[in-house]
Amino acid sequence: MTSPPTIHVVLFPFMSKGHSIPVFDLARLLLNRNISITIFTTPANRPFFSDSLSDTNIDIIDIPFPQNIQGIPPGVESTDKLPSMSLFPPFANATMFMKPHFEQALESLLPVTFMITDGFLGWTLDSANKFGIPRLAYYGMNAFSGALSISAMPILGTVVSDDEPFVVPDFPCIKLTRNDFDIHFREREPKVPAFDFFMDVVIATSKSYGLLINSFYELESVYVDYCNRISSPKSWCIGPFCATVEPEKGKLERLEKPSYIKWLDGMLEQGKSVLGLVVTEWVDQREILSHGSVQGFLSHCGWNSVIESICAKVPILAWPMMAEQHLNARMVVEEIKIGLRVETCDGSVRGFVKCEGLEKPIRGLMEGEKCNEARKKVKEIGEAAIDALKEGGSSWQALNELIVELSATRQV
């Protein structure tokens, strides 16, 4: 007989699908440890949470999202609904007005063993401290990008050209450019609206109990060790979260397959391998990547996409756009060698890409020697990723150690 859960964990992802989906997988990972979970969201996001977690017994609490925020249309409570990402700073800053509602609900849930909140919700650290709850932050980034950012940041202001390669101080084998970094961090005199916000959340993270990484130690050991040696809090690799759930889970009861799956089925019947079909709506990316006809993934290199591609053992054609995606692309192509990169017209990191800049690397990824190398490498890493979550694996052990540690220090 299974004993009732004695550990209670609160989860609070940022109001963005790319931030919420991996937290759903993390929640299932914790459920496997017989942990009781409460997850927070907002009223407009409640249906998405309910549908995604319908196969679990997770409690969902929605608290009001601030209204009358300048520039934010009424009813917009998720970044994918914003008219422009230029509205991200006021949207992100508005979340701090949720604090009284969060704390009122949090108090009613006590005792709470620990909480995991999105790194962008830095204000939740105050709430955690108020009730004596250890807070762990989660950004959805890997250790590679974090380590390179820490090492390169002090010298970014000394680099003359945005596309001039420079050696990363603590990693002499790696060369980057200023354009590999997001605008919030590469400006010589940071005056962009989001700069103060990012500085605040970084400070809040540094004062938190720990930082969760959706990765596994074998993939990033050098960078995890570096971060833990020179910065705080401790980074814990407990992923990949997406390996917790089979991609096909829950799809059998669907009345009709989506058009993109029908198209992939047709390609598979014809014995054709594909990189992708352009689809404009939100899709189940893992279901696509696990399809037998998919042999390549044209990706913006958000870390969720990279780790999902690794677990599906599908090589990547990297086309980074924003945030830390350019650093992730470096990792994919130069560090772990599981893919190629689109070619810009002038060879710069953020240069314009024409059709030939796509065609050449696509052919390289789908056929030839480089294709075989990338496919072999991603298969090896994908198997290691899945093994890390199995009992006794590095991520399994790290999560076990974290739970034991936090359970011993919790306040009841």
Side-chain angles (χ1 to χ4, degrees), residues 26 29 116 135-139 141-143 208-217 220 224-225 227-228 232-241 394-406:
L26 172 59
L29 196 62
I116 301 169
R135 182 240 182 181
L136 294 111
Y138 169 71
Y139 283 94
M141 286 177 58
N142 55 28
S208 298
Y209 187 90
L211 176 64
L212 297 185
I213 307 291
N214 185 10
S215 186
F216 57 106
Y217 184 74
E220 307 190 83
V224 175
D225 291 344
C227 289
N228 284 336
S232 60
K234 180 179 178 179
S235 295
W236 302 75
C237 285
I238 61 170
F241 303 159
S394 62
S395 293
W396 185 93
Q397 291 178 338
L399 180 58
N400 195 61
E401 179 185 340
L402 180 61
I403 292 172
V404 170
E405 192 173 295
L406 287 166

mmCIF file of all heavy atoms in Angstrom, residues 26 29 116 135-139 141-143 208-217 220 224-225 227-228 232-241 394-406:
data_model
loop_
_atom_site.group_PDB
_atom_site.id
_atom_site.type_symbol
_atom_site.label_atom_id
_atom_site.label_comp_id
_atom_site.label_asym_id
_atom_site.label_seq_id
_atom_site.Cartn_x
_atom_site.Cartn_y
_atom_site.Cartn_z
ATOM 1 N N LEU A 26 7.600 18.673 -15.130
ATOM 2 C CA LEU A 26 8.262 18.653 -13.824
ATOM 3 C C LEU A 26 7.284 18.218 -12.746
ATOM 4 O O LEU A 26 7.642 17.452 -11.837
ATOM 5 C CB LEU A 26 8.816 20.042 -13.504
ATOM 6 C CG LEU A 26 9.381 20.261 -12.098
ATOM 7 C CD1 LEU A 26 10.520 19.299 -11.802
ATOM 8 C CD2 LEU A 26 9.843 21.709 -11.929
ATOM 9 N N LEU A 29 6.997 14.611 -12.796
ATOM 10 C CA LEU A 29 8.223 14.047 -12.236
ATOM 11 C C LEU A 29 8.134 13.993 -10.716
ATOM 12 O O LEU A 29 8.530 13.004 -10.082
ATOM 13 C CB LEU A 29 9.413 14.908 -12.676
ATOM 14 C CG LEU A 29 10.827 14.337 -12.539
ATOM 15 C CD1 LEU A 29 10.990 13.095 -13.395
ATOM 16 C CD2 LEU A 29 11.847 15.388 -12.940
ATOM 17 N N ILE A 116 8.644 25.974 -6.209
ATOM 18 C CA ILE A 116 9.413 26.162 -7.434
ATOM 19 C C ILE A 116 8.670 27.209 -8.247
ATOM 20 O O ILE A 116 7.536 26.972 -8.674
ATOM 21 C CB ILE A 116 9.537 24.857 -8.240
ATOM 22 C CG1 ILE A 116 10.211 23.759 -7.407
ATOM 23 C CG2 ILE A 116 10.308 25.098 -9.531
ATOM 24 C CD1 ILE A 116 10.134 22.374 -8.027
ATOM 25 N N ARG A 135 12.656 28.557 -1.642
ATOM 26 C CA ARG A 135 12.241 28.816 -3.024
ATOM 27 C C ARG A 135 13.333 28.383 -3.985
ATOM 28 O O ARG A 135 14.500 28.739 -3.836
ATOM 29 C CB ARG A 135 11.951 30.305 -3.221
ATOM 30 C CG ARG A 135 11.474 30.667 -4.632
ATOM 31 C CD ARG A 135 12.380 31.666 -5.340
ATOM 32 N NE ARG A 135 11.879 32.018 -6.661
ATOM 33 C CZ ARG A 135 12.463 32.844 -7.513
ATOM 34 N NH1 ARG A 135 13.594 33.449 -7.180
ATOM 35 N NH2 ARG A 135 11.958 33.075 -8.712
ATOM 36 N N LEU A 136 12.937 27.594 -4.996
ATOM 37 C CA LEU A 136 13.836 27.248 -6.080
ATOM 38 C C LEU A 136 13.348 27.947 -7.334
ATOM 39 O O LEU A 136 12.143 28.016 -7.592
ATOM 40 C CB LEU A 136 13.872 25.732 -6.313
ATOM 41 C CG LEU A 136 14.468 24.919 -5.163
ATOM 42 C CD1 LEU A 136 13.385 24.102 -4.486
ATOM 43 C CD2 LEU A 136 15.587 24.024 -5.656
ATOM 44 N N ALA A 137 14.285 28.495 -8.111
ATOM 45 C CA ALA A 137 13.932 29.198 -9.345
ATOM 46 C C ALA A 137 14.114 28.273 -10.543
ATOM 47 O O ALA A 137 14.931 27.355 -10.532
ATOM 48 C CB ALA A 137 14.806 30.435 -9.503
ATOM 49 N N TYR A 138 13.321 28.545 -11.584
ATOM 50 C CA TYR A 138 13.431 27.784 -12.826
ATOM 51 C C TYR A 138 13.260 28.742 -14.000
ATOM 52 O O TYR A 138 12.253 29.458 -14.085
ATOM 53 C CB TYR A 138 12.368 26.682 -12.884
ATOM 54 C CG TYR A 138 12.276 26.049 -14.257
ATOM 55 C CD1 TYR A 138 13.296 25.226 -14.707
ATOM 56 C CD2 TYR A 138 11.195 26.300 -15.105
ATOM 57 C CE1 TYR A 138 13.248 24.668 -15.971
ATOM 58 C CE2 TYR A 138 11.143 25.739 -16.364
ATOM 59 C CZ TYR A 138 12.161 24.929 -16.794
ATOM 60 O OH TYR A 138 12.126 24.383 -18.058
ATOM 61 N N TYR A 139 14.243 28.792 -14.895
ATOM 62 C CA TYR A 139 14.202 29.686 -16.053
ATOM 63 C C TYR A 139 13.939 28.968 -17.374
ATOM 64 O O TYR A 139 13.571 29.589 -18.356
ATOM 65 C CB TYR A 139 15.534 30.431 -16.200
ATOM 66 C CG TYR A 139 15.736 31.566 -15.242
ATOM 67 C CD1 TYR A 139 16.417 31.370 -14.044
ATOM 68 C CD2 TYR A 139 15.269 32.844 -15.527
ATOM 69 C CE1 TYR A 139 16.628 32.418 -13.157
ATOM 70 C CE2 TYR A 139 15.467 33.898 -14.646
ATOM 71 C CZ TYR A 139 16.153 33.681 -13.463
ATOM 72 O OH TYR A 139 16.360 34.716 -12.588
ATOM 73 N N MET A 141 16.468 27.564 -18.925
ATOM 74 C CA MET A 141 17.754 27.691 -19.609
ATOM 75 C C MET A 141 18.653 26.511 -19.253
ATOM 76 O O MET A 141 18.408 25.817 -18.270
ATOM 77 C CB MET A 141 18.467 28.984 -19.185
ATOM 78 C CG MET A 141 17.891 30.251 -19.760
ATOM 79 S SD MET A 141 18.759 31.722 -19.137
ATOM 80 C CE MET A 141 20.460 31.381 -19.663
ATOM 81 N N ASN A 142 19.691 26.316 -20.065
ATOM 82 C CA ASN A 142 20.660 25.282 -19.734
ATOM 83 C C ASN A 142 21.848 25.891 -18.986
ATOM 84 O O ASN A 142 21.938 27.106 -18.811
ATOM 85 C CB ASN A 142 21.149 24.570 -21.011
ATOM 86 C CG ASN A 142 21.718 25.530 -22.038
ATOM 87 O OD1 ASN A 142 22.239 26.594 -21.710
ATOM 88 N ND2 ASN A 142 21.624 25.157 -23.302
ATOM 89 N N ALA A 143 22.751 25.039 -18.542
ATOM 90 C CA ALA A 143 23.927 25.519 -17.814
ATOM 91 C C ALA A 143 24.965 26.118 -18.754
ATOM 92 O O ALA A 143 25.701 27.029 -18.381
ATOM 93 C CB ALA A 143 24.543 24.367 -17.017
ATOM 94 N N SER A 208 17.909 32.756 -3.685
ATOM 95 C CA SER A 208 17.001 31.618 -3.535
ATOM 96 C C SER A 208 17.758 30.382 -3.075
ATOM 97 O O SER A 208 18.993 30.358 -3.042
ATOM 98 C CB SER A 208 16.278 31.346 -4.860
ATOM 99 O OG SER A 208 15.480 32.458 -5.236
ATOM 100 N N TYR A 209 17.014 29.324 -2.758
ATOM 101 C CA TYR A 209 17.631 28.101 -2.245
ATOM 102 C C TYR A 209 18.394 27.360 -3.335
ATOM 103 O O TYR A 209 19.444 26.754 -3.091
ATOM 104 C CB TYR A 209 16.553 27.184 -1.661
ATOM 105 C CG TYR A 209 17.112 25.975 -0.961
ATOM 106 C CD1 TYR A 209 17.416 26.016 0.406
ATOM 107 C CD2 TYR A 209 17.360 24.794 -1.654
ATOM 108 C CE1 TYR A 209 17.956 24.905 1.055
ATOM 109 C CE2 TYR A 209 17.899 23.684 -1.017
ATOM 110 C CZ TYR A 209 18.193 23.740 0.342
ATOM 111 O OH TYR A 209 18.732 22.648 0.968
ATOM 112 N N GLY A 210 17.862 27.393 -4.558
ATOM 113 C CA GLY A 210 18.505 26.651 -5.631
ATOM 114 C C GLY A 210 17.954 27.058 -6.990
ATOM 115 O O GLY A 210 16.974 27.794 -7.099
ATOM 116 N N LEU A 211 18.615 26.567 -8.043
ATOM 117 C CA LEU A 211 18.205 26.817 -9.419
ATOM 118 C C LEU A 211 18.057 25.472 -10.113
ATOM 119 O O LEU A 211 19.009 24.687 -10.174
ATOM 120 C CB LEU A 211 19.262 27.664 -10.130
ATOM 121 C CG LEU A 211 19.043 27.957 -11.614
ATOM 122 C CD1 LEU A 211 17.786 28.800 -11.815
ATOM 123 C CD2 LEU A 211 20.267 28.667 -12.213
ATOM 124 N N LEU A 212 16.868 25.200 -10.638
ATOM 125 C CA LEU A 212 16.616 23.937 -11.325
ATOM 126 C C LEU A 212 16.951 24.061 -12.801
ATOM 127 O O LEU A 212 16.593 25.038 -13.459
ATOM 128 C CB LEU A 212 15.151 23.521 -11.159
ATOM 129 C CG LEU A 212 14.683 23.243 -9.728
ATOM 130 C CD1 LEU A 212 13.253 22.731 -9.734
ATOM 131 C CD2 LEU A 212 15.598 22.226 -9.036
ATOM 132 N N ILE A 213 17.651 23.057 -13.321
ATOM 133 C CA ILE A 213 18.063 23.036 -14.716
ATOM 134 C C ILE A 213 17.391 21.863 -15.418
ATOM 135 O O ILE A 213 17.495 20.719 -14.971
ATOM 136 C CB ILE A 213 19.593 22.890 -14.860
ATOM 137 C CG1 ILE A 213 20.318 23.950 -14.031
ATOM 138 C CG2 ILE A 213 19.994 22.966 -16.330
ATOM 139 C CD1 ILE A 213 20.180 25.349 -14.539
ATOM 140 N N ASN A 214 16.695 22.146 -16.515
ATOM 141 C CA ASN A 214 16.032 21.103 -17.298
ATOM 142 C C ASN A 214 17.056 20.462 -18.241
ATOM 143 O O ASN A 214 16.999 20.606 -19.457
ATOM 144 C CB ASN A 214 14.873 21.706 -18.090
ATOM 145 C CG ASN A 214 14.070 20.650 -18.835
ATOM 146 O OD1 ASN A 214 14.250 19.456 -18.629
ATOM 147 N ND2 ASN A 214 13.189 21.092 -19.709
ATOM 148 N N SER A 215 18.003 19.770 -17.636
ATOM 149 C CA SER A 215 19.092 19.144 -18.370
ATOM 150 C C SER A 215 19.637 18.013 -17.519
ATOM 151 O O SER A 215 19.107 17.730 -16.435
ATOM 152 C CB SER A 215 20.181 20.188 -18.676
ATOM 153 O OG SER A 215 21.186 19.653 -19.507
ATOM 154 N N PHE A 216 20.693 17.367 -17.994
ATOM 155 C CA PHE A 216 21.289 16.292 -17.208
ATOM 156 C C PHE A 216 22.800 16.495 -17.135
ATOM 157 O O PHE A 216 23.415 17.062 -18.051
ATOM 158 C CB PHE A 216 20.925 14.911 -17.762
ATOM 159 C CG PHE A 216 21.294 14.669 -19.203
ATOM 160 C CD1 PHE A 216 22.370 13.850 -19.527
ATOM 161 C CD2 PHE A 216 20.569 15.247 -20.233
ATOM 162 C CE1 PHE A 216 22.712 13.609 -20.845
ATOM 163 C CE2 PHE A 216 20.898 15.014 -21.566
ATOM 164 C CZ PHE A 216 21.970 14.199 -21.869
ATOM 165 N N TYR A 217 23.374 16.062 -16.050
ATOM 166 C CA TYR A 217 24.749 16.397 -15.707
ATOM 167 C C TYR A 217 25.755 15.957 -16.775
ATOM 168 O O TYR A 217 26.685 16.689 -17.095
ATOM 169 C CB TYR A 217 25.108 15.773 -14.356
ATOM 170 C CG TYR A 217 26.493 16.146 -13.871
ATOM 171 C CD1 TYR A 217 26.751 17.417 -13.371
ATOM 172 C CD2 TYR A 217 27.545 15.228 -13.915
ATOM 173 C CE1 TYR A 217 28.025 17.775 -12.932
ATOM 174 C CE2 TYR A 217 28.812 15.561 -13.478
ATOM 175 C CZ TYR A 217 29.048 16.843 -12.981
ATOM 176 O OH TYR A 217 30.303 17.196 -12.558
ATOM 177 N N GLU A 220 26.305 18.530 -19.545
ATOM 178 C CA GLU A 220 26.835 19.863 -19.257
ATOM 179 C C GLU A 220 27.692 19.910 -18.000
ATOM 180 O O GLU A 220 27.737 20.937 -17.326
ATOM 181 C CB GLU A 220 25.682 20.845 -19.088
ATOM 182 C CG GLU A 220 24.683 20.895 -20.217
ATOM 183 C CD GLU A 220 23.743 22.059 -20.047
ATOM 184 O OE1 GLU A 220 24.114 23.173 -20.436
ATOM 185 O OE2 GLU A 220 22.649 21.862 -19.489
ATOM 186 N N VAL A 224 27.947 23.104 -15.491
ATOM 187 C CA VAL A 224 27.259 23.012 -14.195
ATOM 188 C C VAL A 224 28.258 23.223 -13.065
ATOM 189 O O VAL A 224 28.010 23.999 -12.127
ATOM 190 C CB VAL A 224 26.565 21.646 -14.029
ATOM 191 C CG1 VAL A 224 25.965 21.513 -12.630
ATOM 192 C CG2 VAL A 224 25.474 21.460 -15.083
ATOM 193 N N ASP A 225 29.395 22.548 -13.155
ATOM 194 C CA ASP A 225 30.427 22.686 -12.124
ATOM 195 C C ASP A 225 30.935 24.128 -12.050
ATOM 196 O O ASP A 225 31.187 24.657 -10.956
ATOM 197 C CB ASP A 225 31.591 21.735 -12.410
ATOM 198 C CG ASP A 225 31.223 20.276 -12.220
ATOM 199 O OD1 ASP A 225 30.175 20.011 -11.571
ATOM 200 O OD2 ASP A 225 31.957 19.402 -12.717
ATOM 201 N N CYS A 227 29.262 26.932 -12.862
ATOM 202 C CA CYS A 227 28.231 27.767 -12.233
ATOM 203 C C CYS A 227 28.198 27.551 -10.722
ATOM 204 O O CYS A 227 28.087 28.511 -9.948
ATOM 205 C CB CYS A 227 26.859 27.460 -12.835
ATOM 206 S SG CYS A 227 26.643 28.029 -14.535
ATOM 207 N N ASN A 228 28.309 26.317 -10.298
ATOM 208 C CA ASN A 228 28.256 26.023 -8.872
ATOM 209 C C ASN A 228 29.520 26.468 -8.139
ATOM 210 O O ASN A 228 29.499 26.677 -6.923
ATOM 211 C CB ASN A 228 28.014 24.525 -8.651
ATOM 212 C CG ASN A 228 26.573 24.133 -8.903
ATOM 213 O OD1 ASN A 228 25.672 24.968 -8.813
ATOM 214 N ND2 ASN A 228 26.344 22.874 -9.220
ATOM 215 N N SER A 232 25.911 31.637 -7.111
ATOM 216 C CA SER A 232 24.883 31.024 -6.281
ATOM 217 C C SER A 232 23.527 31.379 -6.861
ATOM 218 O O SER A 232 23.401 32.351 -7.603
ATOM 219 C CB SER A 232 24.988 31.542 -4.836
ATOM 220 O OG SER A 232 24.807 32.953 -4.808
ATOM 221 N N PRO A 233 22.497 30.573 -6.562
ATOM 222 C CA PRO A 233 22.521 29.403 -5.695
ATOM 223 C C PRO A 233 23.011 28.166 -6.450
ATOM 224 O O PRO A 233 23.403 28.272 -7.618
ATOM 225 C CB PRO A 233 21.051 29.260 -5.313
ATOM 226 C CG PRO A 233 20.328 29.661 -6.568
ATOM 227 C CD PRO A 233 21.136 30.816 -7.124
ATOM 228 N N LYS A 234 22.955 27.028 -5.811
ATOM 229 C CA LYS A 234 23.378 25.787 -6.441
ATOM 230 C C LYS A 234 22.444 25.427 -7.585
ATOM 231 O O LYS A 234 21.234 25.561 -7.486
ATOM 232 C CB LYS A 234 23.401 24.647 -5.410
ATOM 233 C CG LYS A 234 23.844 23.302 -5.992
ATOM 234 C CD LYS A 234 23.870 22.215 -4.937
ATOM 235 C CE LYS A 234 24.270 20.875 -5.553
ATOM 236 N NZ LYS A 234 24.335 19.781 -4.553
ATOM 237 N N SER A 235 23.040 24.978 -8.701
ATOM 238 C CA SER A 235 22.265 24.497 -9.840
ATOM 239 C C SER A 235 22.068 22.988 -9.720
ATOM 240 O O SER A 235 23.027 22.260 -9.463
ATOM 241 C CB SER A 235 22.985 24.821 -11.154
ATOM 242 O OG SER A 235 23.074 26.216 -11.365
ATOM 243 N N TRP A 236 20.823 22.576 -9.920
ATOM 244 C CA TRP A 236 20.478 21.152 -9.834
ATOM 245 C C TRP A 236 19.963 20.687 -11.197
ATOM 246 O O TRP A 236 18.929 21.144 -11.665
ATOM 247 C CB TRP A 236 19.391 20.913 -8.789
ATOM 248 C CG TRP A 236 19.712 21.371 -7.403
ATOM 249 C CD1 TRP A 236 19.727 22.653 -6.936
ATOM 250 C CD2 TRP A 236 20.069 20.549 -6.284
ATOM 251 N NE1 TRP A 236 20.064 22.684 -5.605
ATOM 252 C CE2 TRP A 236 20.270 21.401 -5.173
ATOM 253 C CE3 TRP A 236 20.217 19.170 -6.109
ATOM 254 C CZ2 TRP A 236 20.623 20.914 -3.909
ATOM 255 C CZ3 TRP A 236 20.569 18.685 -4.849
ATOM 256 C CH2 TRP A 236 20.767 19.556 -3.771
ATOM 257 N N CYS A 237 20.681 19.771 -11.838
ATOM 258 C CA CYS A 237 20.232 19.183 -13.102
ATOM 259 C C CYS A 237 19.313 18.004 -12.797
ATOM 260 O O CYS A 237 19.776 16.961 -12.313
ATOM 261 C CB CYS A 237 21.428 18.705 -13.926
ATOM 262 S SG CYS A 237 22.362 20.024 -14.698
ATOM 263 N N ILE A 238 18.026 18.163 -13.072
ATOM 264 C CA ILE A 238 17.075 17.088 -12.748
ATOM 265 C C ILE A 238 16.235 16.706 -13.962
ATOM 266 O O ILE A 238 15.168 16.114 -13.828
ATOM 267 C CB ILE A 238 16.163 17.484 -11.571
ATOM 268 C CG1 ILE A 238 15.334 18.719 -11.925
ATOM 269 C CG2 ILE A 238 16.982 17.725 -10.302
ATOM 270 C CD1 ILE A 238 14.239 19.012 -10.896
ATOM 271 N N GLY A 239 16.701 17.037 -15.154
ATOM 272 C CA GLY A 239 15.943 16.764 -16.364
ATOM 273 C C GLY A 239 16.563 15.638 -17.188
ATOM 274 O O GLY A 239 17.452 14.938 -16.710
ATOM 275 N N PRO A 240 16.084 15.493 -18.417
ATOM 276 C CA PRO A 240 15.098 16.334 -19.093
ATOM 277 C C PRO A 240 13.669 16.015 -18.661
ATOM 278 O O PRO A 240 13.268 14.851 -18.636
ATOM 279 C CB PRO A 240 15.317 16.022 -20.569
ATOM 280 C CG PRO A 240 15.877 14.630 -20.587
ATOM 281 C CD PRO A 240 16.679 14.475 -19.323
ATOM 282 N N PHE A 241 12.905 17.058 -18.345
ATOM 283 C CA PHE A 241 11.540 16.871 -17.860
ATOM 284 C C PHE A 241 10.666 16.151 -18.887
ATOM 285 O O PHE A 241 9.786 15.374 -18.526
ATOM 286 C CB PHE A 241 10.888 18.224 -17.543
ATOM 287 C CG PHE A 241 11.641 19.064 -16.547
ATOM 288 C CD1 PHE A 241 11.440 20.428 -16.490
ATOM 289 C CD2 PHE A 241 12.549 18.507 -15.661
ATOM 290 C CE1 PHE A 241 12.125 21.228 -15.581
ATOM 291 C CE2 PHE A 241 13.255 19.278 -14.746
ATOM 292 C CZ PHE A 241 13.034 20.652 -14.704
ATOM 293 N N SER A 394 21.746 10.104 -13.073
ATOM 294 C CA SER A 394 22.245 11.337 -12.451
ATOM 295 C C SER A 394 21.125 12.296 -12.067
ATOM 296 O O SER A 394 21.152 12.891 -10.976
ATOM 297 C CB SER A 394 23.228 12.036 -13.393
ATOM 298 O OG SER A 394 22.589 12.409 -14.610
ATOM 299 N N SER A 395 20.125 12.463 -12.923
ATOM 300 C CA SER A 395 19.017 13.373 -12.607
ATOM 301 C C SER A 395 18.122 12.792 -11.525
ATOM 302 O O SER A 395 17.613 13.519 -10.667
ATOM 303 C CB SER A 395 18.198 13.667 -13.871
ATOM 304 O OG SER A 395 18.957 14.409 -14.803
ATOM 305 N N TRP A 396 17.926 11.484 -11.579
ATOM 306 C CA TRP A 396 17.136 10.811 -10.545
ATOM 307 C C TRP A 396 17.796 11.009 -9.179
ATOM 308 O O TRP A 396 17.125 11.326 -8.194
ATOM 309 C CB TRP A 396 17.015 9.325 -10.873
ATOM 310 C CG TRP A 396 16.123 8.552 -9.954
ATOM 311 C CD1 TRP A 396 14.794 8.284 -10.110
ATOM 312 C CD2 TRP A 396 16.514 7.932 -8.706
ATOM 313 N NE1 TRP A 396 14.328 7.546 -9.049
ATOM 314 C CE2 TRP A 396 15.354 7.314 -8.177
ATOM 315 C CE3 TRP A 396 17.708 7.838 -8.001
ATOM 316 C CZ2 TRP A 396 15.374 6.604 -6.969
ATOM 317 C CZ3 TRP A 396 17.730 7.145 -6.800
ATOM 318 C CH2 TRP A 396 16.570 6.538 -6.294
ATOM 319 N N GLN A 397 19.101 10.837 -9.128
ATOM 320 C CA GLN A 397 19.832 10.991 -7.876
ATOM 321 C C GLN A 397 19.817 12.445 -7.393
ATOM 322 O O GLN A 397 19.667 12.710 -6.198
ATOM 323 C CB GLN A 397 21.273 10.512 -8.047
ATOM 324 C CG GLN A 397 21.408 9.007 -8.231
ATOM 325 C CD GLN A 397 22.841 8.571 -8.452
ATOM 326 O OE1 GLN A 397 23.680 9.358 -8.873
ATOM 327 N NE2 GLN A 397 23.118 7.308 -8.171
ATOM 328 N N ALA A 398 19.960 13.392 -8.329
ATOM 329 C CA ALA A 398 19.965 14.809 -7.952
ATOM 330 C C ALA A 398 18.626 15.223 -7.367
ATOM 331 O O ALA A 398 18.569 15.934 -6.353
ATOM 332 C CB ALA A 398 20.302 15.673 -9.166
ATOM 333 N N LEU A 399 17.529 14.781 -7.989
ATOM 334 C CA LEU A 399 16.204 15.113 -7.471
ATOM 335 C C LEU A 399 15.977 14.462 -6.118
ATOM 336 O O LEU A 399 15.421 15.087 -5.198
ATOM 337 C CB LEU A 399 15.122 14.669 -8.459
ATOM 338 C CG LEU A 399 13.677 14.954 -8.037
ATOM 339 C CD1 LEU A 399 13.466 16.437 -7.780
ATOM 340 C CD2 LEU A 399 12.694 14.442 -9.095
ATOM 341 N N ASN A 400 16.438 13.232 -5.977
ATOM 342 C CA ASN A 400 16.291 12.535 -4.705
ATOM 343 C C ASN A 400 17.045 13.268 -3.598
ATOM 344 O O ASN A 400 16.530 13.478 -2.489
ATOM 345 C CB ASN A 400 16.808 11.103 -4.840
ATOM 346 C CG ASN A 400 16.367 10.204 -3.712
ATOM 347 O OD1 ASN A 400 15.171 10.011 -3.517
ATOM 348 N ND2 ASN A 400 17.308 9.670 -2.955
ATOM 349 N N GLU A 401 18.270 13.696 -3.907
ATOM 350 C CA GLU A 401 19.086 14.429 -2.938
ATOM 351 C C GLU A 401 18.419 15.749 -2.553
ATOM 352 O O GLU A 401 18.393 16.133 -1.371
ATOM 353 C CB GLU A 401 20.464 14.701 -3.545
ATOM 354 C CG GLU A 401 21.408 15.486 -2.639
ATOM 355 C CD GLU A 401 22.714 15.830 -3.322
ATOM 356 O OE1 GLU A 401 23.062 15.172 -4.322
ATOM 357 O OE2 GLU A 401 23.389 16.775 -2.867
ATOM 358 N N LEU A 402 17.851 16.436 -3.538
ATOM 359 C CA LEU A 402 17.196 17.714 -3.288
ATOM 360 C C LEU A 402 15.970 17.545 -2.397
ATOM 361 O O LEU A 402 15.768 18.310 -1.443
ATOM 362 C CB LEU A 402 16.792 18.350 -4.621
ATOM 363 C CG LEU A 402 16.081 19.707 -4.551
ATOM 364 C CD1 LEU A 402 16.982 20.743 -3.895
ATOM 365 C CD2 LEU A 402 15.665 20.148 -5.948
ATOM 366 N N ILE A 403 15.171 16.542 -2.690
ATOM 367 C CA ILE A 403 13.958 16.304 -1.898
ATOM 368 C C ILE A 403 14.307 15.960 -0.454
ATOM 369 O O ILE A 403 13.702 16.471 0.492
ATOM 370 C CB ILE A 403 13.116 15.184 -2.544
ATOM 371 C CG1 ILE A 403 12.534 15.664 -3.876
ATOM 372 C CG2 ILE A 403 11.985 14.755 -1.604
ATOM 373 C CD1 ILE A 403 11.854 14.571 -4.677
ATOM 374 N N VAL A 404 15.301 15.078 -0.284
ATOM 375 C CA VAL A 404 15.733 14.689 1.065
ATOM 376 C C VAL A 404 16.243 15.906 1.825
ATOM 377 O O VAL A 404 15.914 16.127 2.997
ATOM 378 C CB VAL A 404 16.811 13.586 0.993
ATOM 379 C CG1 VAL A 404 17.438 13.365 2.366
ATOM 380 C CG2 VAL A 404 16.219 12.287 0.464
ATOM 381 N N GLU A 405 17.039 16.729 1.147
ATOM 382 C CA GLU A 405 17.633 17.908 1.770
ATOM 383 C C GLU A 405 16.557 18.904 2.198
ATOM 384 O O GLU A 405 16.592 19.442 3.312
ATOM 385 C CB GLU A 405 18.593 18.562 0.771
ATOM 386 C CG GLU A 405 19.492 19.625 1.338
ATOM 387 C CD GLU A 405 20.521 20.095 0.337
ATOM 388 O OE1 GLU A 405 21.386 19.293 -0.063
ATOM 389 O OE2 GLU A 405 20.445 21.278 -0.071
ATOM 390 N N LEU A 406 15.599 19.157 1.322
ATOM 391 C CA LEU A 406 14.550 20.130 1.631
ATOM 392 C C LEU A 406 13.556 19.593 2.658
ATOM 393 O O LEU A 406 13.039 20.348 3.474
ATOM 394 C CB LEU A 406 13.812 20.517 0.344
ATOM 395 C CG LEU A 406 14.604 21.434 -0.605
ATOM 396 C CD1 LEU A 406 13.956 21.480 -1.968
ATOM 397 C CD2 LEU A 406 14.710 22.820 -0.015
#
